[in-house]
Every structure is written in structure tokens, then in C-alpha cells.
Amino acid sequence: ELYLSSGASVLLAYETKRERERVLSLLPRLQDGVPCHTDPSFIVAAQEGWKAGKISNFDYLLALNSAAGRTFHDLSRYPVFPWVVADYTSEKLDLNNPGTFRDLTKPVGALNKERLEYFMSRYKSMQGDMDHAFLYGTHYSAPGYVLYYLVRSMPDQMLCLQNGKFDAADRMFHDVDHTYASILINHADVKELIPEFYDPEAGYDFLINARSLQLGSTQTGERVHDVKLPKWAKDPREFLEKNRRALECDVVTKLLPRWVDLVFGQKSRGQGAKDALNLFHPTSYIQSSDFEAMKTDEDKMQAELQATEFGICPDLLFIRTHPLKSDISVPSNILSPALSGRAMTLEQLGDDFGTDYSKAESGDQPWELLETPAGQAPAPNDNYGSNAFMPNESEHGTAPKSGTNEATRPTQASNPFGDEEDDEAEDEEDSAMGLTKSLSLKGSGRGTQSSHFTTDSDIYRESKPSAPTSRTQEVVVNDLPSNHDGWKRKALLCKQIHSDTVSGCSLLVQEDRRQPSYLVSVSLDGRLLVHTLPFLQEDQDQRRNFSSTSAITRLSYLGLGSDKSEGQYSLKELRTHSSTDPLACLALTSDGGGGRIAFAGGHDDVVFAYGLNSACALASVYSHRDAVTGIDLIERSSFDNNAVFGDAAASSMKSTHIMVTGSYDATVKVWAVTVAAGETVAIDRNPIAELFDADASIASVAVTETYGSGVAIAAGCSDGSLIVWVCTKNGGKKVLYKEEARRGGSCAAVKWAPGNYLFAAFGNRVASYLLSNGTLRPVSKISAGSPVNCLTLIEENLFAGCADGGLRMIPIAEGAHFNTSPQPWRGINGEQSPALTSISGSKLQRSESGQRRYLIATGSVDGNMAVFELEETTR
């Protein structure tokens, strides 16, 4: 980065360190009067100038940020400044009162004692894996946090990050006091400030909506426009000026070195960070040396993507306590030894200094940071069979007894399948690595917890998998018997019905062909659409000429045996419901009297129920503090109606359904829902259980009954972790299983199957698990060849929608083992099919020759829906 005399700067990015040093050697050096900010002598000079009163606290912090690799040109390494003022409610800002200021000796996460106890409790639960234990699952500086503050001055950047839309109004930066309150109480919010809050000379456009952006209205009806300032500031300029005076006052100057220790010094990492309660996720501490130790460019890229998404700690500048401004002497060995090695010398470059490095060996080729890691919204509920999922009692034991509530220690698994290294490529066509089309959200305190639909934009090869453990079946696709000729696919229709990504879809195929069959879908365009499938419904002429029974027996269930033209396979729009915010997830249920209800959640933090027959919203609940990313629903048919379930006893006793929701706020909640004939719906306002054990935003959720004793809830997270809870009907709740974050993106989809089997998608891989005797254990895994975004289950076949725009059918053997390679179909949503983002399927009546048939619908990132039939060709 070159700083110009005009005050501006330019950031130059080179492909290799050698190229950078070649250019650097041509520039004026320190001895010529041009300082290098990463040179130790610059840091010493800046510190001496600050101690002597020659530069302000503001300028000193800017200098330290620059020396630590922070720049205004990189949102992932943006300069970080502290919250200084803690009083945003008083009429007057009293800079002589110590109570006016934030405690700079503590990180943001430790400012609230009650919240800190939660962090400490979670940290202690990680004691078995101390190398990866952390206190805070989010960081104090990340691209989403920066744009959260700067959305009014940099709307284009926000729209780029948010897939062309602003965030929900309640999560926008609209009130300074609200934001400060969030960083004190929100478990997912420990963000600091940015320099703009202390620089009145740079302007205050980030505080005013000078462009008249349409930022929406909050749940209370308040329009989001200019940022609401504290009472002690009559206008934005005064707010910045008083912030600056607070930063420069004696109280802050005395304590500022302690904050420097936390961010740039000895308490920023290692044992010092542990002792100071300042320990973040390991990915935030990644350094150049860590990249050099990685064997492949793919490993480097994945590590960088995760660090960029989560937030990166500044470079270590000081290894000893930073001196106070009043200290007379300063230790000579205060700077980090690593600072001396960050720039190469001409001697280190060697004799080949003039080599054309663009022709270097392939192993030395540079790697490029593209986009953020992949995540996913969940697939909707689908009907499925149970042929392959009956547990083997001799192997797995008997089912747990109803009503047990033993304090079982949750299973911890950093990677139960033993595949810490990525698998070697099976075939180049099937090994497309999806980076992302971002759907990320930010909000006051929600940070950059993001959910993404993976798209096929980069090719990579996987490394050889490790040998299977004794408890897990290792599946290498090349070694499996082929199943590619057993099914044929017939495309029925492909149509763009949404203007943005299809985030959820559900097929409802009626057995009685006199009744309409439906396709329900939700999208990031904010619309819920209900279409009928006319080609599945018997027309009036057929009704006059045949009885329903004879028609079904003599004709193909779909009518595909006749020579229908392509135009006869069409969708007919029946209902539409529009939301002001994107919709991200969908679940469908019946009222038991012929009515159907769709439950949808989205970026406005609300879950609502919509009646397909009544064509209106039936009920809603403000469910989370951030966007709802996953939803699942089951009937409470086998529960004891007189039993207490969760904390809301009265509501749960009357409920007919249990609903589970997940959110970007890293929480999962369980709700009591009552559904009655006539599409009557009631959602209790208070959740019957709240689960806070996730360390990252939730990407997918699924719920199932546990032999009548309660429910098991699975949640896939954006960092690739998987958590399973058990909530018993007598009020107990516990973490049953936790699989730690892994490289390769989010746990994009989770799906329960009969017999308490669980399927989960991690990047390219799909894994199966068995819940038995109060524990969850891994069973099998398989590679789909492309990142999996969504799952659905029909009988003993698992269908995966992938980032390469293709579909994989994964046969499931007894006990949920994967013994046969997936059957791929490409170009599902058109010849140039984009990434599939949602999927739903239904079992159809067998053909006249007895072959099985399925109807499947897929939605894609471009808003297209495809419907097709799969028919078994051999049996």
C-alpha cells in the first residue's frame, strides 16, 4: 500500500512475494525519508511520537492498524477502533466521569459479566480439544461489520454482499444506542468500531441517508433513514466531534495501551489471550507462515476463505505490555520478532532476482481469494419411505425407553469420519468446487454470519481419504458398483417463476387425481408461490368417460404414456403471497381436513403460516433476532397429550405440531403449533425451548421424534459444524452430539429418516448417522463430486441438489450405509443449469410393469423451477 502526499493511498496486490519485493526495491526507502509502515522502526517512531504528544490517540491507532496489515482498501482487514463511550442515553456527555467510558482493559465479549459466564461455560465444554477451544464464536472486525456501519455511504458494496438487496430494517445500523446495547448482550456480537466514528474531518455521510436509500421500516413501524444519535449530540458532526474528544481525553489515554494489548499486543493471541478472556476462533489467527505450511493451494484457499468470513486478527506488533504514555522508559525488546521478517531483502531474493516468476513451477503458482465460504438454506419437508432405515437391533441395541432423561454427555467429534484431508479427485467433471453466490446478512450484532448457496465456479481436486475407522464405513466412489443404468429421467418442464434464488420448494401430489396437486415455492425475491400441476389432475372429459379407479389402473399416473406435447406439462399459478423481505425456508403440513398450510421464514426474522386454500396469512411469530434460515415441522401424533414438553407447558399440551427454526443469530428454537381443520393455525408466542450451543449461524435444521419420549433436533451451521439436541417431553434438553467445524463450507442440509437415521451434507460429502440408545454415531459417508446444497429422501434413495446444477441419487443400503455410487444427472434446470438450491420429491404409483417412479422438483439460483419424472428401468 502506497501512501501519497495528498493523503490518499493505493493498494497493489501481486501474485507472488517475489514480485512485490521487486517493485519495493525500486521505491524510495526509509533512508530516503520515506517510511515503511511494516518496518519496526516506523512502529518505534510512531510510539515515541505518541508518548511525546506529537501525534494524537487517533493517529497512533491508525499507525498501528497500518503496521498490523489493516487497510481501508480491504474490508476483511479494515482498521479497527475501540468503543470508547458507554453512555448513549444521557442528555450531556460528561468526559470527567469515568462511568461515561467503556472498560478498555477488557475485550467487548467480557464487558457483560452475565454473557461472559455463558462464553466461559461453552469454553469449558471444549476442554477436550484445547487446541481449537475458543471463547467467542464471532470476531470484532469482519467485512459484514464494516458494511453494517457504512451501508449509507457504500450501498453498492452492501448490495454486492447481500445479493442485490439491503438487509432487514431491524438489522440495519439505525440507532447508536441500540447497536451498543447489542454488543453487550448479544451472544453473536462482539464487534468494535471503525475509524469513521472518530474522524469528523472525513465527513459523516455514513450517518445520514443522503442518497434517500429505501432501507425499509422496523417491526415497530419506524422508517430506517438517518442513524438515530444519542441525546448529547444535536447533529452528526457534533456526534463525531464528541467521540473524538472522548478518544483523546485523559481517561482514555491512560487506558488505551491496555486495549492495544488486546488487539495488537501480547493479549491478542496465545496464553495471553486466554488469560485476558480474549480468545477467538482459531481461524482468526491465520498468518502467512500458516499458508506456507499448507500443502495445496486448495487448503490455502479454504483457510483464507474461512478466516475472511469470520474475521482476521491484526498482525502481532508487541510481545510485552504496551507502555503508558506517562512511562519514562520503554523496554527495548517490546516489538514482535516476526516484524523483522515480513519484508525480504535483496540478499534473500538471491541470484535469480530478475527471473520471470510467471514461469515458475506449478507448485509455486499464486492462489487468489475469490468469495466467501459456502453455506445453505435448508431443504423443505418431503415425504419418504422407510425401506432402508430399520435399525438392526443386534448391532444397534434396542430403542431407548420412553420418558428417560439421563444427563448424557454430548458426543464431541472434530471429524468422526477421519477425513481431515480432502479426498483425491475421483473425476474432474464431478469435482467442481463451489465458491458462492452470496446471500449474506448483517445486522446490529449479527455480524457476518452468512448463509450462501454454493455455485459451481472453481475446479479443484480432493486428496486421498484416510482409512476408515472401525465405527465408520468409508466409501470411495471409484470403488463402488455402478448404478447409472437403473433409472431414466424424463424432463416435464423448466420455467423461471421467481426473480431470485429459489430458497425452498415442496411438492404435494394427490393420490386422488380428481384433486389438484401443488408445487409450493419461496424465494429470495420475497414471494411465496403456489402452483397447480394440471398434468397430474384428471380433466372433466376423463371424469365423464372413466371412473377414478379405472383411470388410474388403465392410464399412467402422470399420463406420460400418451403423446402429450411439451406445452401440456405446465404450471398454473394459483396463489401468491409477497413479503417485504427475502424468504429463506419452507415447510408444508396438512390440517387433517383437506387444508394445507405453508410455513415460511425469512430475513425479517418472522415465521408465518399461509393457507393454500384460504389464500391468506393465518398466523405469524417474531421468532429470532436475525434472519430465519431453516424450518422444520412434525406432527405431535405420538406424544402424550398430557405431558409437559419444554418450558411452555400449557401451550405444548394443546399443540398438534412441533416446529423448529434456525437463524443467522446462531440459535435454534422449538415452538408449539396448533393446526385445526379449516386451515386454522396458532403459533405460541414463546418458544418451548431455546438452544444456544451453535458457534456460527444456522444453515439448516431438521426435527424427528425419539420413540415418543420427545424430539431430536439437528442443525447444520455455516462453519461446517453439526449439532444434535434432544428435548424430552418432561422439559429436559441437552446437546447429544457436536461435530466441530471443518474445512469446505457449511453443513448445508440435514434430513432425518425413519428409524432415527440422520443425513447431513458437508461440502461435497454426504454423511449418515444413527440415533440409538441415547447416542448419535456416524455410519457412512460418500462424495457427491460437487458441493451439495439440498437433500430430499424418497423411499431408500437420497437425492442431492448440487452446485454444478446437477442431481445425485444416492442409494441407501440397510442401516443407512452407502454401498453404491451416486447416479448423476446433469443440467437439471436447463442445459446451462446453475446451482440447485432447493429440492422436493414424491413417490408416484408404479408403472404397469411394476417399476418405481418418482416426481421431483428442483429450484435453482436463477429462480428457475424444473419438474421431472424418474422411472426405474430394471428391477
Side-chain angles (χ1 to χ4, degrees), residues 352-378:
D352 59 345
F353 179 67
T355 304
D356 182 357
Y357 299 102
S358 64
K359 300 179 180 179
E361 295 297 325
S362 60
D364 298 328
Q365 288 301 304
W367 51 277
E368 180 181 4
L369 172 64
L370 296 178
E371 299 179 51
T372 47
Q376 177 56 32

Side-chain angles (χ1 to χ4, degrees), residues 179-213:
T179 299
Y180 185 71
S182 177
I183 67 114
L184 294 180
I185 63 175
N186 192 330
H187 290 171
D189 187 1
V190 293
K191 63 177 174 287
E192 292 278 13
L193 290 180
I194 55 177
E196 283 81 352
F197 279 80
Y198 301 99
D199 192 5
E201 295 181 2
Y204 47 82
D205 58 341
F206 73 102
L207 296 173
I208 62 172
N209 191 10
R211 307 186 189 194
S212 298
L213 303 172

